[in-house]
Amino acid sequence: MATTTFEELYSDFLFKVQDYQQRNLYLRDEKVATNLCLSFLKTAIAKFTNCKKDIQHPNLDLCVFNVELTLTEKDILTNLMVEAWLNRVCLDITQMNLTLNDNDFKHFAEEKNLEKKIETRDRQREINAQQMWDYDFKNVPWTDWASGNYAL
């Protein structure tokens, strides 16, 4: 049976984000970096509720899905991983703490930086929602619907 490995998705995810800290983490401690990617993947799996394949029960011991995912399904999952990563970036309390003990100019710059990160995250969320809607729409069994079988 064909499967899709988590490593395939991690590689695609790391290609999409330009996070040098995460890339350096892979060089220093691959296990920690892999666990971080796994947490992003678990969040992505939970959000991809309309997937036509069973991704909700992956083999966590072997780090594989029990099905072979299409390029579209992989892209959706990795985009959802990017959203999870952006959530982590936006909720980074150390970045917020920098603004508490600094002058007004730096406070304003940090505030704008966080604002842009949140805007980017929200835009990614919109892209993901549209991509999942397109995926769902493309996979509607129109011939069944034409005969009145809606399978709801």
Side-chain angles (χ1 to χ4, degrees):
M1 168 166 63
T3 61
T4 298
T5 67
F6 293 179
E7 191 60 42
E8 291 176 63
L9 296 172
Y10 299 163
S11 176
D12 291 349
F13 162 72
L14 290 172
F15 179 77
K16 290 181 179 188
V17 298
Q18 295 300 314
D19 185 347
Y20 297 108
Q21 289 177 333
Q22 184 138 355
R23 290 180 192 275
N24 288 337
L25 183 59
Y26 258 101
L27 297 174
R28 287 190 319 266
D29 192 339
E30 189 172 333
K31 184 174 179 161
V32 171
T34 301
N35 285 337
L36 185 58
C37 283
L38 178 60
S39 67
F40 296 143
L41 180 58
K42 286 179 180 178
T43 301
I45 292 168
K47 287 183 175 257
F48 193 8
T49 57
N50 63 329
C51 187
K52 302 304 177 198
K53 297 181 181 159
D54 181 16
I55 62 169
Q56 298 295 325
H57 303 96
N59 186 329
L60 295 175
D61 295 329
L62 297 177
C63 296
V64 297
F65 290 98
N66 298 315
V67 294
E68 186 171 8
L69 301 177
T70 65
L71 290 175
T72 301
E73 291 160 342
K74 290 177 189 177
D75 192 47
I76 290 171
L77 279 170
T78 55
N79 282 340
L80 289 167
M81 288 174 72
V82 170
E83 182 182 329
W85 172 79
L86 285 166
N87 280 334
R88 182 173 178 265
V89 168
C90 290
L91 296 173
D92 184 354
I93 194 68
T94 58
Q95 293 295 317
M96 292 178 202
N97 284 341
L98 291 175
T99 65
L100 296 177
N101 298 319
D102 227 328
N103 63 34
D104 288 340
F105 175 75
K106 192 152 188 177
H107 177 76
F108 180 74
E110 290 293 336
E111 182 181 347
K112 282 295 188 190
N113 186 345
L114 179 59
E115 193 176 290
K116 290 298 179 187
K117 288 176 183 177
I118 291 170
E119 284 177 22
T120 301
R121 187 230 17 226
D122 292 347
R123 180 68 184 127
Q124 184 66 45
R125 185 178 295 143
E126 291 170 7
I127 290 167
N128 293 346
Q130 183 65 49
Q131 190 178 26
M132 286 188 291
W133 189 90
D134 291 345
Y135 169 84
D136 214 15
F137 190 73
K138 189 190 310 185
N139 288 295
V140 170
W142 295 112
T143 54
D144 291 345
W145 280 41
S147 62
N149 180 10
Y150 303 113
L152 299 176

